Amino acid sequence: MDKRPESMKRIDNAELALAFIDEQIAAIREQVGDKKVLLALSGGVDSSVVAALLIKAIGKNLVCVHVNHGLLRKGEPEQVIEVFRNQMDANLVYVDAVDRFLDKLAGVTDPETKRKIIGAEFIRVFEEEARKLSDIEFLAQGTIYPDILESKGVKAHHNVGGLPEDLKFKLVEPVKLLFKDEVRVVGKALGLPDNMVFRQPFPGPGLGVRCTGAITRDRLEAVRESDAILREEFAKNGLAGKVWQYFTVIPDLKSVGVSYEGERTFGYPVIIRAVNTVDAMTATVEEVPYSLLNKITDRIVKEVEGVNRVLFDLTPKPTGTIEWE
Ligand code: XMP
């Protein structure tokens, strides 16, 4: 059943979330019995909620695979391991595929080609891990209702469609009738940490589309560090829950600067983007207080290796897209 029944209540409180969790645990047990289920766990809210539901329902019969492609934000792979392996005692396979992805992406400048390489390599890594495991019959996915409604959208990223024929599993999709805000309420009721449940949207190709042009390790590290500083300062100053999406970008260019010691530098600029939107089709720019922008600039130029300038993107959508690539 892929259509949300008219009678289905909007899950907007803990009580309804707990009832949903109980229902889904029963439904999952009924569907999969004592068979094993595989899940690609990115650490995003949807796959995390699906993981937590399945852990409650079938424990170690859920095999979570977390692929670190090197394009995740600072602290994310560590948090997945901490929350799911250490706290929830999940059966978690952690795959360090950083070199593999970065080698494949080396020298690739076209944004759509970069996206394709990241998507295809992800499927390949996941397929390899799936083949190492035996007797898996089911694949769990964090499909949510908007993915079904917009299934023609190119950005549907909640599936590992593209697996070869002999790896076609039966699907387990416990949150497929939920809207994003409902998934968050369920995540909270499942005890997932707030910074996982209330995360801002993060594109599938991750930091790969925020390090424009050919991805280099130095710019990738700089974009990861500057993004972490921005997120920390937004959280400290009450903007984290208020602004829809905020991140940094490092374009593939250098400019001349001068160090505190008076030496000439030749470094990268960091661009800050902070936008608000309802549906991501149009967006307006958040009016970040100047004093906070100054504080963030000061921290980034002092703390991030190779960066000598910080810029703020004033462009609404249209004409700028939210991401730079
Ligand atoms: P744009 O840049 O098109 O972004 O204004 C609109 C929203 O979509 C996200 N986005 C992506 N999400 N894969 C994703 O999963 C992608 O390739 C991708 N590109 C953009 C973007 O972060 C914003 O929330």
Side-chain angles (χ1 to χ4, degrees), residues 7 25 101 139 167 211 251 290 304 310 315 325:
S7 58
I25 289 175
F101 276 80
L139 179 72
L167 278 181
C211 184
Y290 219 86
V304 184
V310 177
T315 326
E325 283 196 331

Side-chain angles (χ1 to χ4, degrees), residues 112 115 154-157 201-206 209-210 244-245 247 277 279-281 283 317 320-325:
E112 288 316 308
R115 278 190 172 78
V154 284
K155 285 174 187 161
H157 55 280
F202 188 58
V209 291
R210 295 176 180 173
W244 196 78
Q245 201 171 4
F247 53 87
T277 177
D279 57 8
M281 301 303 287
K317 176 180 180 177
T321 45
I322 295 176
E323 302 290 346
W324 266 54
E325 283 196 331

Side-chain angles (χ1 to χ4, degrees), residues 60-127:
K60 298 247 170 166
N61 274 352
L62 172 71
V63 184
C64 304
V65 176
H66 178 65
V67 178
N68 181 358
H69 52 24
L71 308 169
L72 297 168
R73 288 177 291 190
K74 189 171 177 176
E76 283 181 342
E78 293 81 1
Q79 189 181 29
V80 167
I81 293 172
E82 172 58 26
V83 170
F84 291 98
R85 184 183 286 162
N86 301 349
Q87 294 174 19
M88 294 192 181
D89 197 27
N91 196 349
L92 173 74
V93 179
Y94 170 77
V95 187
D96 179 347
V98 176
D99 288 340
R100 219 174 131 160
F101 276 80
L102 296 188
D103 288 351
K104 275 256 147 66
L105 287 162
V108 181
T109 52
D110 177 61
E112 288 316 308
T113 311
K114 284 165 70 176
R115 278 190 172 78
K116 278 195 193 117
I117 291 174
I118 295 164
E121 197 58 18
F122 183 85
I123 300 288
R124 222 161 290 144
V125 173
F126 190 73
E127 179 193 338

Side-chain angles (χ1 to χ4, degrees), residues 20-287:
F20 173 85
I21 292 166
D22 285 344
E23 257 168 47
Q24 287 306 318
I25 289 175
I28 292 165
R29 287 184 181 152
E30 164 96 27
Q31 185 189 2
V32 309
D34 59 2
K35 298 289 192 298
K36 285 190 186 157
V37 181
L38 189 61
L39 169 73
L41 175 59
S42 67
V45 55
D46 306 327
S47 66
S48 296
V49 166
V50 169
L53 272 173
L54 276 136
I55 291 164
K56 275 200 188 302
I58 60 168
K60 298 247 170 166
N61 274 352
L62 172 71
V63 184
C64 304
V65 176
H66 178 65
V67 178
N68 181 358
H69 52 24
L71 308 169
L72 297 168
R73 288 177 291 190
K74 189 171 177 176
E76 283 181 342
E78 293 81 1
Q79 189 181 29
V80 167
I81 293 172
E82 172 58 26
V83 170
F84 291 98
R85 184 183 286 162
N86 301 349
Q87 294 174 19
M88 294 192 181
D89 197 27
N91 196 349
L92 173 74
V93 179
Y94 170 77
V95 187
D96 179 347
V98 176
D99 288 340
R100 219 174 131 160
F101 276 80
L102 296 188
D103 288 351
K104 275 256 147 66
L105 287 162
V108 181
T109 52
D110 177 61
E112 288 316 308
T113 311
K114 284 165 70 176
R115 278 190 172 78
K116 278 195 193 117
I117 291 174
I118 295 164
E121 197 58 18
F122 183 85
I123 300 288
R124 222 161 290 144
V125 173
F126 190 73
E127 179 193 338
E128 283 172 20
E129 292 306 317
R131 289 200 191 282
K132 287 185 200 159
L133 304 161
S134 54
D135 44 271
I136 303 255
E137 269 186 38
F138 293 90
L139 179 72
Q141 292 193 154
T143 312
I144 63 173
Y145 203 45
D147 297 329
I148 292 177
L149 297 177
E150 304 154 14
S151 61
K152 289 202 184 71
V154 284
K155 285 174 187 161
H157 55 280
H158 290 295
N159 60 62
V160 272
L163 283 173
E165 272 309 311
D166 65 317
L167 278 181
K168 288 279 183 264
F169 304 103
K170 290 175 220 153
L171 296 181
V172 181
E173 298 181 301
V175 297
K176 73 175 176 188
L177 295 183
L178 302 192
F179 288 99
K180 194 79 175 190
D181 55 316
E182 299 179 296
V183 179
R184 294 192 206 276
V185 177
V186 171
K188 185 99 185 113
L190 283 162
L192 291 172
D194 276 7
N195 67 348
M196 218 171 221
V197 171
F198 298 104
R199 271 165 59 133
Q200 46 168 328
F202 188 58
L207 300 180
V209 291
R210 295 176 180 173
C211 184
T212 73
I215 298 168
T216 54
R217 288 179 192 247
D218 60 342
R219 280 192 304 128
L220 186 57
E221 267 338 289
V223 90
R224 200 183 331 264
E225 288 301 323
S226 57
D227 172 76
I229 292 171
L230 180 74
R231 286 191 289 137
E232 195 184 312
E233 290 300 327
F234 266 39
K236 263 197 237 160
N237 290 278
L239 290 180
K242 179 176 169 267
V243 182
W244 196 78
Q245 201 171 4
Y246 48 96
F247 53 87
T248 61
V249 177
I250 302 201
D252 190 10
L253 68 88
K254 281 184 172 178
S255 74
V256 173
V258 59
S259 73
Y260 287 104
E261 291 75 35
E263 279 157 17
R264 178 187 182 275
T265 61
F266 193 46
Y268 296 114
V270 159
I271 298 157
I272 297 173
R273 186 111 175 101
V275 296
N276 292 304
T277 177
V278 177
D279 57 8
M281 301 303 287
T282 60
T284 55
V285 176
E286 169 73 17
E287 289 187 23

